[in-house]
Amino acid sequence: MAANFDTLTAAQIAAGIAAGDFTAREVTQASLDAIAAREDAVQAFLQVSPELALATADRIDTDRAAGKPLPPLAGVPLAIKDNMNLVGTRTTCASRMLGNYESVYTATCVQRMLDAGCVPVGKANMDEFAFGSSTESSAFHPTNNPWDTDRIPGGSSGGSAAAVAAGEVPLALGSDTGGSIRQPAALCGVVGLKPTYGAVSRYGVVAFGSSLDQVGPFGRTVEDVALAMNALVGAGRDPYDGTSQDCAVDFCEHLNDSIEGRRVGIIPAFMEAEGLTPEVRAAVEGAAKQLEAQGAQLVEVDLPHLDAAIAAYYVIGPAEAFSNLARFDGIRYGYQEPDCPNLDTQSSLSRAHGFGAEAKRRQLLGAYLLSSGVYDKYYYAAQKARTLITADYAAAYEKCDVILMPSSPRTAWKHGEISDPTQMYLSDLYTISINIAGNGGVSVPLGLGAESHLPVAALVGPAFKDRTLLMFARALERGFADAATGAPALTVAPDFAGKGGELA
Amino acid sequence: MALTQTDVRGIADYARIALEGDELEQMTAYLNDAVDMLAPVLDYDLPDVEPTFHPIGDLANVMREDEELAGRGLPLDVALSNAGSVRDRSFRVPSILGEGGDR
């Protein structure tokens, strides 16, 4: 069988290896070949780890030959956002500050994917320390959107989303502090889930906003994302992360359940928001109709305090980022400025020359917001806004099971098109409030926009029920699938599909 | 009141980030833009609303028994392996006070 591995889902790869249709080494080599053929154009990775990947694959093949039971994702190639530690790789956070940092331990989320049989093929590009919505703030190189390489892939987990959209891997891990999984998933036309805060351990993931950060998976199908969630939460809460919650459930169990009689919330103000492009609005309205056609009931809900969400986020996020990034002093790890006369100068110059512009901007904003006199004015007000936004969502979920809204107000923009940082912040309109409330959200591709012919997506944001969320995501995927083949609305971006990666 | 370059220099000093060249001017403009963007939050400083500092409301710090866990600590060479400067079993830093240089 000479198929390209990019036509296979993670579920099909694992099943094919278990059945002996192909070996884990063959799949891994196909993924590495695809990366070699496609990476010049997409630049999704900061480090490819062929030796680690092939050694992992060989262990799986050996286990199979010995008749040992294989884990559920055995032999599935995985890309890992470069803010997650994995022994044997660097963890750079796309920053010169950590350009040479070798992981000294492995993050729980990564270890759980490896325990489930995934093969780590490399570390994916991102905005520096996850500060951004375009992956342009990576200190090393930008990443290109596989649907149009003149455009950004979104961010901050842009490398993870692009690697999946370009067919280099079927699964990737990202992290989401204000939309960093859902927005790049939307712009690259893949499925991306930000689970409920605390569902997935953050131990070993470089912290940005400690009350906001959450790890989650990217895939080309909802089922693959559900399988990844099983791997991430199946072992229960992580004793190494105090925020980790015990929420082990089988995410595949109700995936294909009917949504008949369930209620989908629509927020009228969101559908009229300034900056929402007509094609995205039309696509989300189409998604609502599709869910209605499957028997769901549409109900209007209101989130009256949402006007404060972006402002509250840009108080809480930078304040927490400043606290977290204070550890980068150039002593125990990270860039160290040579030949400094004293420690104070060494710290200031190491941080000045190690961090890029956006990382400095966010930290200075955080430092200002936490300074005497300012802290009381902004920080408390932002945390009170969080109380009200959280209560808004709780009240909305009394009336509906999920809320349907765009993932991003527009499709992918051109590199350099948004250069004003505060304008970039406004692109997070639809994703940010879910992090503030700690809820989950998923971005599901709906096809290509009528005008831009670039991927558009909807986000369904529920209340602490990620399994229900994926059930609705699957309903959307089913509704927009190809009638003849059942394939999702979007698969591998056409300019990349089939390039390298033949399965022998 | 808008932040001045003197204010921003003080913030950068507090943040231990040296600003060089035209960075002071750029960061002053940015911080003023950003702080303007945050204005809507000031309407939420309401006396009858309690702040929520964390999405998991009843989160408490986690304390375990004070005992050695095999395999949890990093070996010395690994702990030192990412440092810019080390001496023997220690991270090496320049003088903490004054301009004393390395001693």
Side-chain angles (χ1 to χ4, degrees), chain A residues 411-463:
Chain A
T411 54
W413 58 89
K414 291 201 166 180
H415 287 288
E417 189 179 329
I418 302 180
S419 56
D420 178 348
T422 53
Q423 283 302 309
M424 185 83 83
Y425 299 167
L426 300 177
S427 71
D428 302 331
L429 171 67
Y430 292 108
T431 50
I432 265 178
S433 61
I434 288 173
N435 296 77
I436 290 175
N439 294 345
V442 62
S443 186
V444 186
L446 303 174
L448 300 179
E451 290 163 31
S452 67
H453 304 295
L454 292 165
V456 291
L459 174 144
V460 272

Side-chain angles (χ1 to χ4, degrees), chain A residues 203 307 342-343 360 387 425, chain B residues 23 44 50 52 72 95 98:
Chain A
Y203 176 74
D307 57 341
N342 57 43
L343 184 62
K360 290 185 207 178
T387 302
Y425 299 167
Chain B
E23 275 187 318
Y44 287 86
E50 287 295 315
T52 300
R72 279 288 287 148
S95 170

Side-chain angles (χ1 to χ4, degrees), chain B residues 63-97:
Chain B
M63 304 292 279
R64 65 166 174 81
E65 291 302 310
D66 185 16
E67 59 187 5
E68 189 176 345
L69 296 180
R72 279 288 287 148
L74 294 176
L76 186 68
D77 58 330
V78 175
L80 294 174
S81 62
N82 280 302
S85 182
V86 298
R87 179 185 286 172
D88 302 327
R89 296 169 54 86
S90 305
F91 298 109
R92 188 165 176 246
V93 295
S95 170
I96 290 173
L97 297 173

Side-chain angles (χ1 to χ4, degrees), chain B residues 7-102:
Chain B
D7 296 330
V8 174
R9 194 182 292 284
I11 295 163
D13 199 37
Y14 167 53
R16 296 284 190 277
I17 297 175
L19 297 181
E20 298 167 322
D22 53 7
E23 275 187 318
L24 180 62
E25 192 178 333
Q26 289 169 9
M27 287 296 175
T28 304
Y30 161 76
L31 281 175
N32 281 310
D33 279 355
V35 171
D36 283 349
M37 191 187 77
L38 303 181
V41 91
L42 299 177
D43 296 338
Y44 287 86
D45 190 14
L46 305 169
D48 55 344
V49 177
E50 287 295 315
T52 300
F53 292 104
H54 204 278
I56 303 172
D58 56 355
L59 195 68
N61 204 359
V62 180
M63 304 292 279
R64 65 166 174 81
E65 291 302 310
D66 185 16
E67 59 187 5
E68 189 176 345
L69 296 180
R72 279 288 287 148
L74 294 176
L76 186 68
D77 58 330
V78 175
L80 294 174
S81 62
N82 280 302
S85 182
V86 298
R87 179 185 286 172
D88 302 327
R89 296 169 54 86
S90 305
F91 298 109
R92 188 165 176 246
V93 295
S95 170
I96 290 173
L97 297 173
E99 303 289 321
D102 187 24

Side-chain angles (χ1 to χ4, degrees), chain A residues 98-382:
Chain A
L98 290 173
N100 298 316
Y101 182 83
E102 294 288 342
S103 311
V104 296
Y105 65 107
T106 295
T108 299
C109 60
V110 175
Q111 188 60 53
R112 288 189 175 182
M113 294 301 283
L114 301 185
D115 291 345
C118 282
V119 170
V121 297
K123 304 296 282 292
N125 199 14
M126 55 186 282
D127 279 298
E128 183 180 11
F129 282 101
F131 299 139
S133 309
S134 68
T135 312
E136 289 168 300
S137 74
S138 167
F140 303 115
H141 56 72
T143 290
N144 301 322
N145 190 312
W147 291 86
D148 178 348
T149 53
D150 290 337
R151 293 173 187 271
I152 56 95
S156 66
S157 310
S160 300
V164 174
E168 297 179 325
V169 287
L171 278 182
L173 287 182
S175 63
D176 188 317
T177 306
S180 285
I181 290 174
R182 292 157 289 158
Q183 185 256 21
L187 270 44
C188 288
V190 298
V191 182
L193 172 70
K194 176 233 174 271
T196 298
Y197 180 86
V200 180
S201 166
R202 299 172 307 149
Y203 176 74
V205 181
V206 180
F208 161 3
S210 296
S211 76
L212 305 162
D213 295 343
Q214 184 57 198
V215 170
F218 292 90
R220 288 192 295 272
T221 67
V222 177
E223 184 189 19
D224 283 359
V225 164
L227 288 167
M229 279 304 291
N230 283 353
L232 289 166
V233 308
R237 71 172 297 277
D238 177 10
Y240 297 154
D241 175 359
T243 67
S244 171
Q245 303 290 298
D246 198 356
C247 58
V249 288
D250 182 354
F251 282 82
C252 295
E253 191 181 353
H254 295 290
L255 201 57
N256 288 301
D257 284 6
S258 166
I259 57 162
E260 190 166 358
R262 306 293 288 264
R263 292 163 302 170
V264 176
I266 306 282
I267 305 165
F270 260 12
M271 299 303 285
E272 303 295 336
E274 191 183 339
L276 177 64
T277 57
E279 62 175 351
V280 174
R281 180 182 165 157
V284 175
E285 287 170 348
K289 285 198 182 84
Q290 179 50 241
L291 293 174
E292 205 172 21
Q294 292 184 41
Q297 183 190 347
L298 302 182
V299 294
E300 283 193 4
V301 292
D302 187 22
L303 302 175
H305 300 98
L306 266 185
D307 57 341
I310 285 186
Y313 177 85
Y314 280 98
V315 174
I316 298 167
E320 294 186 355
F322 173 59
S323 300
N324 276 320
L325 271 61
R327 72 192 62 180
F328 296 102
D329 54 10
I331 297 172
R332 293 154 299 157
Y333 40 73
Y335 172 76
Q336 184 180 87
E337 184 78 6
D339 305 323
C340 291
N342 57 43
L343 184 62
D344 194 24
T345 306
Q346 179 179 290
S347 297
S348 294
L349 289 176
S350 296
R351 289 164 63 77
H353 298 155
F355 290 126
E358 184 61 18
K360 290 185 207 178
R361 282 194 282 266
R362 301 263 184 137
Q363 288 184 84
L364 289 183
L365 181 57
Y368 171 66
L369 293 167
L370 292 178
S371 61
S372 176
V374 182
Y375 174 81
D376 294 342
K377 191 174 165 189
Y378 287 94
Y379 191 73
Y380 271 96

